[in-house]
Every structure is written in C-alpha cells, then in structure tokens.
Amino acid sequence: MDQAAPRGTRDILPPESGIWQQLEERFDDICQRYGYGEIRLPSFEHTEVFARGVGDSSDIVRKEMYTFDDRAGRSLTLRPEGTAGVARAFVQHGLSSEAYPVKLYYRMNLFRYEAVQKGRQREFNQFGAECFGSADPAVDAEVIGLVDRFLAELGLTAVRLELNSIGCPDCRSNYHETLRDWLRPRIASFCPDCQQRFEMNPLRILDCKVPEDQARLHDAPLLFDGLDPDCRAHFERVTELLDAQGIRYQINPRIVRGLDYYSRTVFEFISENVGTQGTICGGGRYDGLVAALGGGEVPGCGFAMGVERLLMELEAQSCLPSLPARSRLYLASLDRAAQTAAAGLADRLRQEGITTCSDLVGRSLRAQMKYAARSGFSHVIVLGSDELASGSGRLRRLSDGAEEEVRLDADAIRSRLDPRTAD
RNA sequence: GUGAGAUUAGCUCAGUUGGUUAGAGCGCCAGAUUGUGGCUCUGGAGGUCGUGGGUUCGAUUCCCAUAUCUCACCCCA
C-alpha cells in the first residue's frame, strides 16, 4: 500500500493543528460579531448544483471537479467551492422567508483536481461568509470590511485590496459585443488560449497573463467604463462606504472572477508572499445565483478565503497566532505503586482543568524527566515511596528548576498552577 | 494537460568513477554510584537506497517507464 497521502492532500499534525484551531476560533469570533451564523454543509452535492451555480463555462466545472456516480446512478460532485452549496441550502430550507438579510458563514474543505503547486492543493480549506437578501451596496462594503478587519486583527499589513465591478448581466452582454467588436480584427495576434476564450468567454482575455497580450490590451474598452447608471451608482456607493471606513483599495478594472455567478462588485485580497498564487481572499456579489438554483430573485454577496494561503502569509509576516500558554504538569513515578498513584492524581487534576500526564511507558526517572522537558511540560512532580507516605511532594518548574513543597491534592496543586498562565 | 528539478534512516543530507556487512548529524531507546531534564560521553535500535523493468558476472550507482514531492504555465482561494 502507498503510505503517502494522495497527491495534493496534506496531513495537519500537532503543533500545526493548534494554529488552525486558533485561526478557526478567531474567524468564528469575528463572524459572530458581524452577526453571521455558522452553516455546515455536506461535502458533496448533486453535480447540478455546481454546474448551474458556478457555471458551465468556468474552468472549475469544465475540468477540475471530482465527479462520480453513486450506486443509484446519481451524479455527485465533491464541493469545489462553497457559495453554490450555501445558496442551495438557502433555497432548500426556504430561508428567503426569514428576516433579511440572512447572514451565514462557513469553514469548509474543498476539492479541485488541479496541478499542485505552492498555494494550491487538491483538497484545501476556505473560510467564507455569504449575505443574502439585500442588493444594497452597504452589504458589499460590510463584507469587505469584515475581511479587512479579520486580516488586521491577525496582524497582517501588506495585503492589497483590489476592487472592480463587472456589472449586471445587461452590462456584460452589451460589453461582450463591444469587446468582441474591438477584438475581432486583432484576435489573430493573441495567444492560442485567448483565441479560444474569444468564443467561450471573451471577458477572460482581459485577465490573460501573457505579457504580449497584456500590452496589446492596454487600450481595449473596459467593462468598467461601460457600466450602466445603476451599476455605476452601486459601485460608487461601495467605494464611498469603504472610504468612510478607512479601508484602502485599488480599483483594478481587469479583475475577472473565475466563477460565473458574480455580478457587480468583485474583489480580491492579494499578498506578495504566497508565490504566484497570491490571492488570499476573493469574493463579490452574486445577484443571480439563488435564482439559478431554483430560488427567487434573492441578491447575495460574500467572500471565500484560502486558509492555507492565509497561513503562508501569516508565516511570511511573522503573525502566526501563538498558542495560549498553559501550565502542563507531568507526574513522574519511580515504581509501580507510584505509577498507580500518579494515574489517580492525574485524573483528579484533569477534573480541575489542569493538563496532566503521567508515565505510560515504565521508564527510568531520568528518561521521564527528559521526556517531560522535551514534550513541553512546564512542571513536574516526582512520586515515589516518600511522597506516597507523606502525602506531599515537590513541584518543580522546568524553566528554571525552582521547587516548592505541595500537598499531593488536586486543590493544593491547582492553586499553584493557574491553567491560564504558564510560568 | 505542459515544462524544469528532486526522491538514500523518523527528520536534514553525504556516498558509491558499477564490486563483500550503505554513512553522518539530529531525533529515539539504554547506561555513565542506588530518586530529578535541557550540556557531555558510551552503547543500541532503525534503511526492500521511491516502485517496476532493462543492461551487466554483479545495479543504490547506468538506461527506460511509473509514482510521489517541489516550482512554473493555465486557473483559482
């Protein structure tokens, strides 16, 4: 058997998993402060949900999904992104009858069959939030504000916010014609990918990474410049609200999100440190998504943040959340009787909230001390016949070797070890 | 899907111009006057040299394939 995890997947072991727990806690916390409730969804959906939600012309649907038939012949797909599933649940549970706006957040693992590289795996994690039921630009600004606040609370600084509007479907179909007309006489000189995109989705040509193509595009008409008055007003209100919150952003008329459901506002938080996959967070408005999944005309807006990329950025900026320092007590034992007593005392201490371990190997005292030091215990009590007879022992602080006499009693020990502060 | 580099112990890596029992450091286990860790010394366990073929008297070493890892293209979080 192959002992390695499948390509593009990764195990997360302690102590790294502790960092994940911290991040998850902080994300839960900020979402709740903004009034979002957590939604948990199945890891797979009917393939339809993504085909119709994310869109048939997107790369995700065309070539990156883990799709399979179940034993009854239903086509199912491991979720490649979060928003479509949230919208499906919104429709299924009739959340359109709740008081608007409906605010939901999630943390989930996602699956895409992609070429693995830095900042991109086949199973990865996102934190995200979706706000349904209001077309007001105040939602867009608050959603962006939540992400900005979250990154700031984590201590990140050099993350750039780029903002654009891709308009409503009418703006886009008008613009498609404008852009096609402009491209038609020039498309032959573009790269082969762009020539394909010309038919499928000419909008994507604007995002082409080939430098020569970018140069050719410098005077291409921009969707941004052709927004209809409502879309233009929406965008301007978003920027007004961001300005009022003191959130800095750059307008980038060339951002195009790869998921078809976006409309009007789109944004990305981009890092300089994650390699070429620098987008830590992407999001925007998706006013047609709920309807595409069979619900009513319910507007929505949200974001998704790549947790692995966020962690890379936190590491690069030396902002990894530190684990809370706690006292951890190791009970060393000299013989079988002491080992028995240690197990009992450990149980009582754990009930008092003290992290306590005792010898489970039957090792020498020297080896136990070595283990305790290496494993990050803050304190040790050695139990032997003297301690069992007297009912008291010496609490040794490993950082400096200081010892003090304590009764071998959970209350007495706890009073010397505040679980919230290690020293 | 395409291109480049890599794969030897739990980890980081040497090494063999093809030749008996493949090495180091760290880590692990044990010991260094009978009950106290982080330093030091000694000993020990641990490897189908990624996998499968080929060439050869003989392959961890050369050739081919394949898997995996890393980076990049594409695309996205």
Side-chain angles (χ1 to χ4, degrees):
Chain A
M1 99 159 222
D2 191 340
Q3 296 178 0
R7 183 172 179 72
T9 67
R10 208 164 77 83
D11 302 312
I12 298 167
L13 309 171
E16 190 191 357
S17 50
I19 293 173
W20 281 72
Q21 289 171 352
Q22 290 293 304
L23 262 192
E24 288 163 0
E25 244 174 63
R26 295 198 193 194
F27 185 67
D28 287 350
D29 181 58
I30 194 165
C31 286
Q32 281 164 22
R33 276 183 278 144
Y34 274 79
Y36 285 77
E38 187 188 5
I39 184 168
R40 300 192 185 203
L41 294 171
S43 298
F44 53 86
E45 296 276 356
H46 292 294
T47 301
E48 276 298 284
V49 171
F50 303 116
R52 286 164 55 187
V54 178
D56 290 318
S57 75
S58 66
D59 277 21
I60 290 178
V61 171
R62 284 168 53 216
K63 50 189 193 192
E64 294 178 358
M65 297 205 299
Y66 282 95
T67 295
F68 58 97
D69 287 346
D70 72 5
R71 294 184 182 223
R74 289 175 280 250
S75 178
L76 302 175
T77 295
L78 262 36
R79 58 186 175 202
E81 63 99 46
T83 305
V86 178
R88 189 229 83 219
F90 181 91
V91 173
Q92 175 177 342
H93 300 289
L95 300 187
S96 57
S97 65
E98 305 233 326
Y100 282 177
V102 176
K103 298 166 112 178
L104 299 167
Y105 82 93
Y106 60 81
R107 307 185 314 240
M108 57 174 72
N109 56 338
L110 303 166
F111 308 87
R112 292 184 198 171
Y113 194 88
E114 296 205 71
V116 175
Q117 70 182 81
K118 190 178 183 67
R120 192 165 59 198
Q121 304 169 225
R122 289 184 174 173
E123 182 183 12
F124 61 103
N125 290 271
Q126 287 184 345
F127 294 164
E130 316 290 355
C131 180
F132 293 95
S134 170
D136 194 291
V139 174
D140 313 40
E142 189 184 82
V143 162
I144 291 170
L146 190 164
V147 177
D148 186 73
R149 170 66 46 215
F150 182 57
L151 298 179
E153 287 181 1
L154 291 171
L156 292 177
T157 49
V159 178
R160 177 171 90 246
L161 168 59
E162 294 194 353
L163 192 64
N164 188 22
S165 173
I166 60 171
C168 61
D170 285 346
C171 296
R172 276 206 299 282
S173 66
N174 288 339
Y175 175 69
H176 269 124
E177 287 323 302
T178 312
L179 182 62
R180 271 215 177 86
D181 290 345
W182 184 87
L183 283 167
R184 195 163 288 120
R186 311 166 213 248
I187 190 65
S189 63
F190 280 73
C191 73
D193 286 338
C194 283
Q195 300 191 24
Q196 273 200 333
R197 293 180 185 125
F198 181 74
E199 294 304 328
M200 288 289 297
N201 191 353
L203 216 56
R204 297 218 63 85
I205 294 178
L206 298 180
D207 217 21
C208 182
K209 300 296 191 297
V210 177
E212 293 75 25
D213 284 1
Q214 275 304 322
R216 280 188 274 270
L217 285 164
H218 80 277
D219 60 348
L222 294 170
L223 169 55
F224 186 73
D225 296 328
L227 295 177
D228 68 30
D230 285 351
C231 290
R232 157 95 20 221
H234 184 97
F235 185 77
E236 279 168 6
R237 178 65 178 151
V238 172
T239 58
E240 190 180 312
L241 287 161
L242 291 178
D243 290 339
Q245 288 181 61
I247 294 173
R248 294 169 54 186
Y249 56 89
Q250 294 171 14
I251 295 174
N252 176 357
R254 296 212 143 82
I255 325 181
V256 182
R257 317 254 47 251
L259 288 69
D260 294 357
Y261 52 62
Y262 285 108
S263 57
R264 292 191 165 170
T265 311
V266 294
F267 60 87
E268 294 186 6
F269 285 82
I270 300 169
S271 138
E272 310 295 340
N273 296 309
V274 186
T276 56
Q277 309 302 321
T279 300
I280 289 179
C281 175
R285 180 164 275 287
Y286 43 85
D287 291 342
L289 176 60
V290 171
L293 292 173
E297 288 293 332
V298 179
C301 183
F303 69 87
M305 188 157 21
V307 182
E308 286 81 359
R309 289 185 188 175
L310 176 62
L311 282 166
M312 277 187 256
E313 183 64 18
L314 288 167
E315 166 129 49
Q317 292 195 32
S318 304
C319 293
L320 285 176
S322 54
L323 306 181
R326 314 180 51 174
S327 293
R328 303 179 74 223
L329 175 63
Y330 183 82
L331 299 176
S333 45
L334 289 164
D335 54 35
R336 230 178 144 67
Q339 192 186 36
T340 306
L345 179 56
D347 180 50
R348 293 192 293 279
L349 285 162
R350 290 165 186 152
Q351 291 180 49
E352 296 296 328
I354 308 285
T355 298
T356 311
C357 292
S358 59
D359 175 53
L360 300 175
V361 184
R363 280 192 286 225
S364 69
L365 178 60
R366 179 188 177 81
Q368 290 181 63
M369 291 301 294
K370 212 168 163 179
Y371 170 78
R374 273 193 51 75
S375 304
F377 286 90
S378 59
H379 295 79
V380 171
I381 298 174
V382 176
L383 300 181
S385 49
D386 294 352
E387 285 78 9
L388 298 194
S390 70
S392 73
R394 292 202 303 278
L395 177 68
R396 180 183 179 92
R397 188 165 63 200
L398 290 181
S399 57
D400 59 2
E403 291 191 344
E404 63 176 323
E405 197 73 17
V406 288
R407 277 192 310 115
L408 296 179
D409 161 290
D411 281 335
I413 294 171
R414 189 195 51 186
S415 70
R416 304 283 206 310
L417 295 175
D418 184 336
R420 289 174 303 270
T421 59
D423 55 358

